[in-house]
Amino acid sequence: MLRGSRLVRPFQFQGKSSDWLPSSFTKGPAIAANTILFLGLFIISAAVLFSYWIQISNFQIGNSANETILISNKYQEPFKVIEFPLNCSIGSNINQTQTCPTSYPTTFGNLDDLEPSSSPVCPDYFRFIHQDLMPWKATGITRDMVERAKETAHFRLVIVKGKAYVEKYKKSIQTRDVFTIWGILQLLRRYPGRLPDLELMFDCDDKPVIRSRDFRGPNSTQVPPLFRYCGDRWTKDIVFPDWSFWGWAEINIKPWEGLLKDLKKGNDRSKWMEREPYAYWKGNPFVAESRKDLLKCNVSDSQDWNARLFIQDWILESQQGFKQSDVASQCTHRYKIYIEGYAWSVSEKYILACDSVTLIVKPQYYDFFTRSLQPVHHYWPIRHDDKCKSIKFAVDWGNNHKQKAQAIGKAASDFIQQELKMDFVYDYMFHLLNEYAKLLRFEPKIPEGATHLCSESMACPASESEKKFMTESLVKSPSVTSPCTMPPAYKPQANAASGMAVHDDCKLKFLELKAKRNYRFILFKIEQQQIVIDKLGEPNESYDDFTSSFPADECRYAVFDFDFTTEENCQKSKIFFIAWSPDSSKVRMKMVYASSKDRFKRELDGISFELQATDPSEMSLDIVKGRVF
């Protein structure tokens, strides 16, 4: 019964039956029988209608300021969602330490009562959880392995019976450790009792340190499991969402959930076609030589590389109240540049969310979600060894192909808005920690001297700016839906780290093209988990013959031996590589070709330059000549 509802009223009567029965019931038997039949049919119809009404799924009735009743066709009894705001009054006297309240649930109850996730299958980048944990698939994780990860760790995290305990070893840069731990506490509030007991080490610095080469050979030790924010192809660090998802207090970047909404509003205010037709970058160039080199591409009196580059002075910005560093107000150019700093940068997700075409200078590092990004679909790749020309070409191409360029920017921002929303960040953490815990071959124990942490013990005594962001990112109640379902691991042919097998004929024919000039061009395709020859071009075939050889709806790799005459009237040739990825090809195919390209290119010694093309105009003869001369 729904109290206070006017839809259902109790039926009451008093007195004799003759006082409330219809008058026909007191008359003849024939009339009474007809009346009984009519009333029976009426009652059955009413019961069916009432049953249908009560079965309508997922409507809400507000019950109080902090309580909502959810009625679903899964339950017969209402399921109450109760909010638990921060309670900073417990043990908060001057001489007392803030204690953790006991009111927040540490278990969910019957997991069968949970609604299914609105997104049943997790985004594709969740597959990399399997890859990141692969070093321990066969052996499991022992306590000795965990202890050896302590060497560079900032803290040890232990979860026992749904509670978090932290042992700190050193201070991290700014509040990275604080907001990373805060994020894990919010995960425990979102899915109470659903995280198994576990023990891990976390390094909050930038560069990954668990080098693969240090753990090879018969006498090598097992890889120590160490969590951090990014990885690369040469290391085995376990990649975890970075602290800024819960706010970056030092530079006033708000928590991700609210910031995503601001970014969407910013995109709505500044339409792509109305934006400045240049590539924009603003940041600290002094943390990496590659960023200093990028500044050479800035507009000058003598040269315009289509780039507008600015140095970010965070000290001045903090003094001025961060008025010029609002992330959502920086989506004002059609193109935005992402370039790594000391290592990977948290700015990548803000740039990708802008609706602008993201120009990514060839990166070394990846974070937990970027491994699913596809070149020319989500971003435009920029050469690290020829940034200025590469940026100018990208901007010129985009301004001459506005619809295609706009589609690249939109694909990236849609990916961020839909597949990197905070629900999925928490689900990624949930699945990663659950899969990690399955590998543990020891019983996690609370270290002597470790601190029991909860949201109150962290947020209540925090500084004003930190407490503001913690309050904004607080998970106020357990989730009433299950996490999304983990997709299976990538098959070897789609594994970006291992690449694709290369048939010996590919290397042999390429050497013949380079040394003997037996062929003008070679097309390659991926077939049955390896790269094979698709077509060999005869020496007398033209460039038009070459471009017409590409299928309209399938990806290919290709090399072409291009003859040209220099200004000094010298005959020369250059071999260039083409990555062909037409818009009409399947997304899965694009991913496989993109992930295997770099390794395949390393097998072909003598490539002068690379072109990436989605239609024939992007590999025209004029474009080739522009790269040659």
Side-chain angles (χ1 to χ4, degrees), residues 457-472:
S457 63
M458 289 196 72
C460 296
S463 66
E464 182 179 353
S465 60
E466 293 171 23
K467 186 174 182 179
K468 176 177 179 291
F469 286 161
M470 288 178 178
T471 302
E472 288 180 12

Side-chain angles (χ1 to χ4, degrees), residues 41 69 82 107 116 118 227 247 311 398 400 482 514 520 542 559:
L41 291 172
I69 297 178
I82 303 175
T107 60
S118 57
F227 285 73
I311 296 175
N400 290 323
S482 297
K514 184 173 70 168
R520 176 61 62 187
S542 67
V559 291

Side-chain angles (χ1 to χ4, degrees), residues 69-83:
I69 297 178
L70 296 180
I71 298 183
S72 167
N73 58 358
K74 288 182 62 178
Y75 336 114
Q76 294 180 354
E77 294 296 327
F79 178 76
K80 296 182 179 180
V81 177
I82 303 175
E83 292 188 353

Side-chain angles (χ1 to χ4, degrees), residues 69-255:
I69 297 178
L70 296 180
I71 298 183
S72 167
N73 58 358
K74 288 182 62 178
Y75 336 114
Q76 294 180 354
E77 294 296 327
F79 178 76
K80 296 182 179 180
V81 177
I82 303 175
E83 292 188 353
F84 295 85
L86 279 175
N87 184 357
C88 292
S89 61
I90 305 175
S92 58
N93 295 330
I94 296 177
N95 296 324
Q96 289 182 299
T97 301
Q98 177 70 45
T99 57
C100 297
T102 58
S103 57
Y104 199 90
T106 55
T107 60
F108 188 86
N110 187 0
L111 298 181
D112 292 335
D113 288 343
L114 287 173
E115 286 286 321
S117 171
S118 57
S119 301
V121 180
C122 305
D124 211 49
Y125 60 83
F126 278 60
R127 296 177 187 268
F128 288 100
I129 290 175
H130 302 288
Q131 179 179 314
D132 288 349
L133 298 177
M134 186 63 69
W136 305 277
K137 183 177 181 180
T139 63
I141 298 173
T142 65
R143 176 166 292 283
D144 176 67
M145 295 179 193
V146 173
E147 294 302 328
R148 285 191 288 108
K150 180 179 176 181
E151 183 177 348
T152 64
H154 287 84
F155 64 84
R156 180 199 304 263
L157 171 77
V158 180
I159 296 176
V160 173
K161 296 181 179 179
K163 295 183 178 181
Y165 302 84
V166 172
E167 182 180 46
K168 288 194 175 184
Y169 303 123
K170 57 183 177 180
K171 183 72 179 71
S172 72
I173 299 172
Q174 297 178 335
T175 51
R176 292 184 180 189
D177 56 348
V178 172
F179 279 91
T180 300
I181 295 169
W182 173 261
I184 295 170
L185 292 178
Q186 302 320 298
L187 176 67
L188 292 173
R189 288 172 68 94
R190 181 179 176 88
Y191 296 123
R194 301 198 62 185
L195 269 294
D197 290 0
L198 59 86
E199 194 168 335
L200 62 84
M201 296 289 183
F202 206 108
D203 186 334
C204 301
D205 284 341
D206 289 317
K207 290 187 176 182
V209 296
I210 308 298
R211 299 180 301 183
S212 301
R213 68 186 185 190
D214 294 339
F215 303 96
R216 294 173 182 161
N219 298 321
S220 63
T221 57
Q222 292 294 328
V223 178
L226 181 64
F227 285 73
R228 73 174 340 98
Y229 309 122
C230 72
D232 64 21
R233 57 182 300 182
W234 297 282
T235 55
K236 298 294 184 183
D237 301 59
I238 302 171
V239 182
F240 195 83
D242 71 84
W243 75 96
S244 66
F245 283 98
W246 296 274
W248 192 348
E250 287 82 3
I251 59 174
N252 199 42
I253 293 182
K254 63 167 60 175

Side-chain angles (χ1 to χ4, degrees), residues 338-382:
Y338 170 76
I339 183 169
E340 293 176 337
Y342 183 67
W344 140 96
S345 171
V346 300
S347 65
E348 189 165 16
K349 57 181 176 288
Y350 309 132
I351 293 172
L352 288 163
C354 247
D355 267 1
S356 303
V357 180
T358 302
L359 309 181
I360 296 184
V361 179
K362 186 176 180 179
Q364 175 180 335
Y365 304 96
Y366 53 77
D367 65 8
F368 75 101
F369 73 89
T370 53
R371 287 173 282 185
S372 274
L373 298 177
Q374 303 169 47
V376 195
H377 178 66
H378 294 114
Y379 68 92
W380 187 281
I382 298 297

Side-chain angles (χ1 to χ4, degrees), residues 364-553:
Q364 175 180 335
Y365 304 96
Y366 53 77
D367 65 8
F368 75 101
F369 73 89
T370 53
R371 287 173 282 185
S372 274
L373 298 177
Q374 303 169 47
V376 195
H377 178 66
H378 294 114
Y379 68 92
W380 187 281
I382 298 297
R383 295 180 59 179
H384 69 283
D385 57 347
D386 197 3
K387 299 181 186 68
C388 300
K389 287 184 179 180
S390 191
I391 290 171
K392 180 172 174 54
F393 176 83
V395 174
D396 284 341
W397 178 89
N399 289 335
N400 290 323
H401 301 81
K402 293 183 178 66
Q403 288 185 337
K404 289 185 177 181
Q406 192 172 0
I408 294 173
K410 190 67 168 64
S413 61
D414 285 349
F415 174 91
I416 296 297
Q417 289 284 345
Q418 297 167 14
E419 300 193 23
L420 199 63
K421 56 187 178 181
M422 208 61 208
D423 288 347
F424 285 138
V425 176
Y426 282 123
D427 284 1
Y428 189 93
M429 297 161 62
F430 175 86
H431 285 300
L432 174 58
L433 294 180
N434 267 279
E435 294 300 316
Y436 170 82
K438 292 176 185 177
L439 298 170
L440 297 184
R441 299 294 181 261
F442 64 93
E443 181 183 355
K445 294 183 178 179
I446 304 168
E448 185 177 349
T451 304
H452 172 217
L453 291 178
C454 62
S455 297
E456 279 74 12
S457 63
M458 289 196 72
C460 296
S463 66
E464 182 179 353
S465 60
E466 293 171 23
K467 186 174 182 179
K468 176 177 179 291
F469 286 161
M470 288 178 178
T471 302
E472 288 180 12
S473 59
L474 178 74
V475 171
K476 295 180 180 178
S477 60
S479 174
V480 296
T481 60
S482 297
C484 59
T485 302
M486 269 274 284
Y490 280 115
K491 294 181 180 179
Q493 63 264 31
N495 190 318
S498 62
M500 189 72 61
V502 179
H503 195 282
D504 288 341
D505 278 352
C506 296
K507 291 175 277 189
L508 177 63
K509 297 301 182 184
F510 177 77
L511 288 175
E512 292 180 6
L513 178 147
K514 184 173 70 168
K516 300 180 182 179
R517 309 200 72 185
N518 288 354
Y519 310 104
R520 176 61 62 187
F521 61 84
I522 306 174
L523 264 65
F524 307 90
K525 64 180 179 180
I526 294 177
E527 187 177 79
Q528 296 181 355
Q529 303 184 25
Q530 65 176 339
I531 300 173
V532 298
I533 298 288
D534 184 36
K535 181 178 181 180
L536 296 170
E538 296 299 322
N540 59 351
E541 291 196 62
S542 67
Y543 191 75
D544 287 339
D545 295 328
F546 170 62
T547 56
S548 63
S549 300
F550 289 92
D553 56 356

Side-chain angles (χ1 to χ4, degrees), residues 248 251 253 280-287 291 295 309-327 330 347:
W248 192 348
I251 59 174
I253 293 182
Y280 172 90
W281 180 80
K282 187 175 185 179
N284 180 4
F286 307 113
V287 296
R291 287 191 174 187
L295 293 181
L309 313 175
F310 303 89
I311 296 175
Q312 178 71 71
D313 185 341
W314 284 113
I315 296 176
L316 178 62
E317 188 65 19
S318 64
Q319 293 171 349
Q320 296 177 349
F322 300 99
K323 294 180 180 178
Q324 303 300 319
S325 59
D326 177 26
V327 173
Q330 293 184 11
S347 65

